[in-house]
Amino acid sequence: MTFIKTTEQDSNYNNLENMSVHEIITNINNEDKSVPLAVENALPQIESLIDQIVTKLKIGGRLFYIGAGTSGRLGILDASECPPTFGIAHNIVIGLIAGGDNAIRNAVENAEDSLTQGWIDLQDYNITKNDIVVGIAASGTTPYVISALQKCNENNIITGCITCNQLSPLAQTAKFPIEVVVGPEFLTGSSRMKAGTAQKLVLNMITTATMIQLGKVKGNKMVDMQLSNDKLVQRGVDMIMNALNVSEEKAIQLLNTYKNVRQSISHGRN
């Protein structure tokens, strides 16, 4: 097999400007239906990478996502959700994007073409072989990401990737590649669509499965979540009521005392 950039291939649809809104969204929806199946085909690769991530985090390592554009933003989104969802420190799962934080909201010209900045950005965090780095690039050809993973390999840092083309340069570089081949986009080359959806689904799996393996979930509940707003406080109260079969008043009392759902349930049983 040879590398074919299917994410850049011509759309299966043409004359989009002549379609009605109903036709446009129906066709987009039809294309989107293929994404979970593409993810399913990559489950063995996803599992292999998660096993590596869990091993590193158990010894105190960190998970880094590194990407450009949409891919970089998705990594940052997933990383930023981990502290409130699982109660971990903000420096355990870290998202990096070509062009720095300014690129989260605004495109930074040529940032993804750098062959050195990715490794520099990782070095800013004093990266070591206890950490693991996952490159995210729909095309699998982004220099910023590939060069960073190459340097990681040279320094015995385990590497993985999430890409939407098979046998891409990125997949060939990463030690634990994930290839979710979604095919041409409805809007030719717009990898924020199916490819972005696929990447988000995989990222959901990576951090959710990892945190479950690290003991951050009890039953099916986020017992270590940060109680950062009224909605989450009430969710915590409900969890305590259900787990201990106590009144809302008692659950609130426990939560006010221990400030954490897991601790509230643990002490409430004693």
Side-chain angles (χ1 to χ4, degrees):
M1 292 181 65
T2 57
F3 170 50
I4 300 175
K5 197 185 272 191
T6 56
T7 54
E8 298 290 335
Q9 286 181 332
D10 206 37
S11 172
N12 295 319
Y13 307 84
N14 205 350
N15 300 316
L16 306 188
E17 68 275 18
N18 295 330
M19 292 182 182
S20 67
V21 171
H22 177 76
E23 289 171 324
I24 291 169
I25 63 176
T26 298
N27 290 328
I28 291 174
N29 184 238
N30 286 334
E31 287 296 312
D32 286 345
K33 290 174 185 177
S34 68
V35 176
L37 295 177
V39 173
E40 182 178 356
N41 290 334
L43 286 178
Q45 292 181 322
I46 297 169
E47 182 178 358
S48 294
L49 179 56
I50 291 171
D51 286 342
Q52 296 296 317
I53 294 169
V54 171
T55 298
K56 288 299 183 183
L57 267 58
K58 279 184 175 179
I59 63 170
R62 299 165 294 176
L63 166 60
F64 287 86
Y65 294 132
I66 186 165
T70 298
S71 296
R73 294 182 189 102
L74 288 170
I76 290 170
L77 171 63
D78 193 61
S80 67
E81 292 288 352
C82 287
T85 304
F86 301 108
I88 63 171
H90 287 271
N91 63 348
I92 302 299
V93 183
I94 299 166
L96 301 176
I97 186 170
D101 286 353
N102 182 50
I104 298 172
R105 291 183 177 273
N106 304 290
V108 176
E109 190 173 353
N110 299 325
E112 71 174 52
D113 297 327
S114 174
L115 293 172
T116 57
Q117 191 61 46
W119 178 241
I120 292 170
D121 290 347
L122 288 168
Q123 285 183 302
D124 285 343
Y125 288 84
N126 298 311
I127 192 166
T128 75
K129 63 182 180 180
N130 288 335
D131 302 317
I132 185 165
V133 178
V134 177
I136 311 173
S139 67
T141 60
T142 307
Y144 171 83
V145 179
I146 296 170
S147 60
L149 264 59
Q150 288 170 338
K151 292 295 291 185
C152 288
N153 290 338
E154 292 172 12
N155 287 273
N156 298 314
I157 299 166
I158 291 179
T159 55
C161 76
I162 307 170
T163 182
C164 296
N165 288 318
Q166 202 164 30
L167 300 177
S168 68
L170 179 59
Q172 298 297 306
T173 301
K175 300 301 183 183
F176 293 89
I178 295 172
E179 298 165 301
V180 185
V181 182
V182 296
E185 298 285 3
F186 172 77
L187 181 62
T188 299
S190 183
S191 55
R192 67 188 176 84
M193 300 186 77
K194 287 192 300 183
T197 300
Q199 290 172 327
K200 182 65 171 69
L201 292 175
V202 173
L203 289 165
N204 289 347
M205 289 179 173
I206 288 174
T207 44
T208 303
T210 295
M211 295 302 157
I212 291 171
Q213 291 294 300
L214 294 177
K216 305 303 291 183
V217 171
K218 186 173 180 60
N220 57 15
K221 302 295 193 299
M222 300 180 290
V223 292
D224 289 324
M225 67 180 181
Q226 294 178 356
L227 305 173
S228 56
N229 58 50
D230 290 344
K231 178 190 71 175
L232 295 180
V233 170
Q234 185 59 51
R235 184 183 296 170
V237 169
D238 292 341
M239 288 185 198
I240 297 166
M241 290 172 61
N242 291 331
L244 300 177
N245 193 27
V246 297
S247 68
E248 183 175 34
E249 182 180 6
K250 178 62 176 179
I252 292 172
Q253 179 186 359
L254 286 166
L255 196 57
N256 286 337
T257 300
Y258 298 106
K259 311 299 183 184
N260 173 272
V261 174
R262 182 191 295 273
Q263 293 299 318
S264 297
I265 293 172
S266 176
H267 284 88
R269 285 182 172 145
N270 294 334

